[in-house]
Amino acid sequence: MAEAITANPKSDEDQGASFGAVLGNRNFLFLWMAQLISQLAQQMINYALVVQVAKLSNASSTATAGIVICFTVPAILFSAIAGVFVDRTSKKRTLVVTNAARGLTVLLFVGTTLVANLDVFWGLAILYANTLLFSAISQFFAPAEAAMIPLLVSRKKLIAANSLFNLTLTASQLIGFVLLGTLLVPLLGLRVLYILLCGCYIVCAVLCWRLPDVEAERGLLAAAATDDLAEADTLGEKARLAWDEFKEGWGFIRVDAALMIAILYWSVAISVFMMLAVSGPKFLQDVLHVDPEHLYFILIPGGIGLVVGVILVGRFATEDNRASMINYGLLFAGIGLLVLALIHDALRLGAQLIGQPPPPTLASQVVIGAAGFFLGMCNSFISVPAQTVLQERAPEDIRARVFAAFYTVSNTILIVPLVIAGAMADLIGVLPTVVGIAALVLVIAIAGLRFQRSHPHSMSGAGPPPAPGAEPEAMMPGTQAVEPPAPDSVKANGARARAADDGAGPPFPDPLTEHEKSSRP
């Protein structure tokens, strides 16, 4: 049994636990290693697939958008029901099965590298179908992993444990996609890399197999059988319950203007940079005339910019300046996109005007890399304050549903610009497409700045008031503690959301009590 799984609370020495303290828990160490390895593997697979599709389709942006959409669609279809399913099954078994299944799925990617002169149609069909399967399986791994943490770690070490997992998730996305993917694809080749990544998932399955079956030992699954939700025995009933929980979270978002604004900004930031990723391979091939595998000279500076941006946001962001930070982040991101798109032709034109030979491609690559760094910083100045608003204003007992609603909605919205960006890059060219994206970002930024002037406190404040006698929620240092609202208020919002969507009950917005209305900024 894990060291933290005891009936008695831990001693005072657990308070303020460090990363080293939680990693001293052997079972937590196994889970953390499985997270690190699997996340690195997934990000390297994502990068490898973008490169493979670009090569197979002659750098078609539409085809590249297709593979990115295949990453995204399962998150829309399965993330909510996956949470309901995981709540009622063994977390250990789910972790073992999902890692083993992902390892076997990666072997199908290996098969596409064994066929010489693979037909474009069938090659893309196989890659798309297998990516959908791989991503669908992954939707069940993440909630099982998150739900396993509090079963292995004492309550007083939970903040350190969650902080470590969040840090690892962010770092693995940067290291896996931006660094290891860009280095290992040209070094090892796709076939060897896929085989190596298959082995990584098998290692993760073994690590998870060594975890204790905590629920069986503590009778948690048996206790869950008495839960009203556990009466949902069929897949259809589970899906209905997941949909109801999603609507409850979305209903809470709809009545909070700050949450809606934060979600809009965050979704724009995600969409812009995913559209750039879709257009990137074609940009390299058509504009710079280099191999799409060299995408690293944009991605690596961009990843470094993300890290630098996160550090700077943590130093300078306040509740009063977050709206300005986001809007100006969008404004400068639009300018950075224009520089990235036009700098190569601008350098050639400048050399021609002064009677000099065209500068080497390396000069353009250096400037474009600098633009990538700048865009990475801008992304942090948009996404971090927006995420903070969601964390602050969503009460604890509905926060997971609020984030689930956000991810479902943002992933759904993301599909449209990806398809449009891919199609436009193929139809009218990659440069006009990137310039068009930049213009759209600038329009949104200018509109946001104008809205901010007329609503200066639109993203400040801590949301609904706390319930009488409620204990404050433990927050990470540097963030504002937010109390959850009265449970009846949250449930009422969710009930009204479902009623409104079903055509019954009072329409939105009017779900807040007079006390809640008077407390809002």
Side-chain angles (χ1 to χ4, degrees), residues 147-209:
M148 192 70 168
I149 297 174
L151 299 178
L152 300 177
V153 177
S154 65
R155 183 175 181 178
K156 293 178 180 178
K157 290 182 179 179
L158 200 53
I159 289 180
N162 282 320
S163 299
L164 180 60
F165 262 70
N166 288 332
L167 177 63
T168 305
L169 177 63
T170 303
S172 62
Q173 290 173 340
L174 174 61
I175 296 171
F177 191 91
V178 175
L179 184 59
L180 292 180
T182 56
L183 293 178
L184 294 182
V185 167
L187 181 64
L188 301 179
L190 292 171
R191 184 183 311 171
V192 175
L193 180 62
Y194 284 142
I195 294 173
L196 176 64
L197 297 178
C198 172
C200 288
Y201 283 113
I202 300 303
V203 170
C204 292
V206 173
L207 287 170
C208 293
W209 178 73

Side-chain angles (χ1 to χ4, degrees), residues 333-390:
I335 296 171
L337 283 170
L338 285 176
V339 172
L340 189 148
L342 302 177
I343 191 62
H344 181 67
D345 288 342
L347 289 175
R348 294 174 62 89
L349 178 61
Q352 183 178 357
L353 290 175
I354 62 176
Q356 297 296 320
T361 301
L362 178 61
S364 297
Q365 291 178 332
V366 170
V367 179
I368 289 171
F373 174 85
F374 183 73
L375 287 170
M377 287 184 58
C378 291
N379 183 277
S380 294
F381 277 86
I382 300 166
S383 60
V384 173
Q387 183 178 7
T388 302
V389 172
L390 264 67

Side-chain angles (χ1 to χ4, degrees), residues 155-392:
R155 183 175 181 178
K156 293 178 180 178
K157 290 182 179 179
L158 200 53
I159 289 180
N162 282 320
S163 299
L164 180 60
F165 262 70
N166 288 332
L167 177 63
T168 305
L169 177 63
T170 303
S172 62
Q173 290 173 340
L174 174 61
I175 296 171
F177 191 91
V178 175
L179 184 59
L180 292 180
T182 56
L183 293 178
L184 294 182
V185 167
L187 181 64
L188 301 179
L190 292 171
R191 184 183 311 171
V192 175
L193 180 62
Y194 284 142
I195 294 173
L196 176 64
L197 297 178
C198 172
C200 288
Y201 283 113
I202 300 303
V203 170
C204 292
V206 173
L207 287 170
C208 293
W209 178 73
R210 299 193 64 181
L211 295 172
D213 199 348
V214 182
E215 295 129 321
E217 295 173 6
R218 300 175 66 183
L220 295 179
L221 291 178
T226 62
D227 193 321
D228 291 339
L229 291 178
E231 296 178 2
D233 295 326
T234 67
L235 183 62
E237 290 173 332
K238 291 180 187 291
R240 178 181 57 79
L241 289 170
W243 177 245
D244 286 345
E245 290 189 358
F246 165 79
K247 287 198 292 185
E248 189 168 3
W250 181 241
F252 188 87
I253 291 171
R254 289 170 62 184
V255 299
D256 191 318
L259 286 177
M260 289 291 289
I261 294 170
I263 287 175
L264 172 63
Y265 282 136
W266 200 358
S267 298
V268 169
I270 294 171
S271 298
V272 166
F273 288 94
M274 290 305 295
M275 286 189 288
L276 191 60
V278 164
S279 306
K282 192 172 185 64
F283 178 82
L284 296 183
Q285 179 173 288
D286 293 357
V287 178
L288 300 182
H289 307 291
V290 298
D291 194 302
E293 283 187 1
H294 294 168
L295 195 59
Y296 59 82
F297 72 80
I298 299 177
L299 293 180
I300 291 179
I304 297 172
L306 278 171
V307 174
V308 173
V310 168
I311 296 172
L312 293 177
V313 169
R315 287 180 175 271
F316 299 112
T318 67
E319 186 177 315
D320 294 329
N321 69 10
R322 63 169 58 129
S324 297
M325 188 172 286
I326 292 173
N327 285 316
Y328 281 109
L330 277 173
L331 183 67
F332 288 121
I335 296 171
L337 283 170
L338 285 176
V339 172
L340 189 148
L342 302 177
I343 191 62
H344 181 67
D345 288 342
L347 289 175
R348 294 174 62 89
L349 178 61
Q352 183 178 357
L353 290 175
I354 62 176
Q356 297 296 320
T361 301
L362 178 61
S364 297
Q365 291 178 332
V366 170
V367 179
I368 289 171
F373 174 85
F374 183 73
L375 287 170
M377 287 184 58
C378 291
N379 183 277
S380 294
F381 277 86
I382 300 166
S383 60
V384 173
Q387 183 178 7
T388 302
V389 172
L390 264 67
Q391 290 172 335
E392 285 184 354

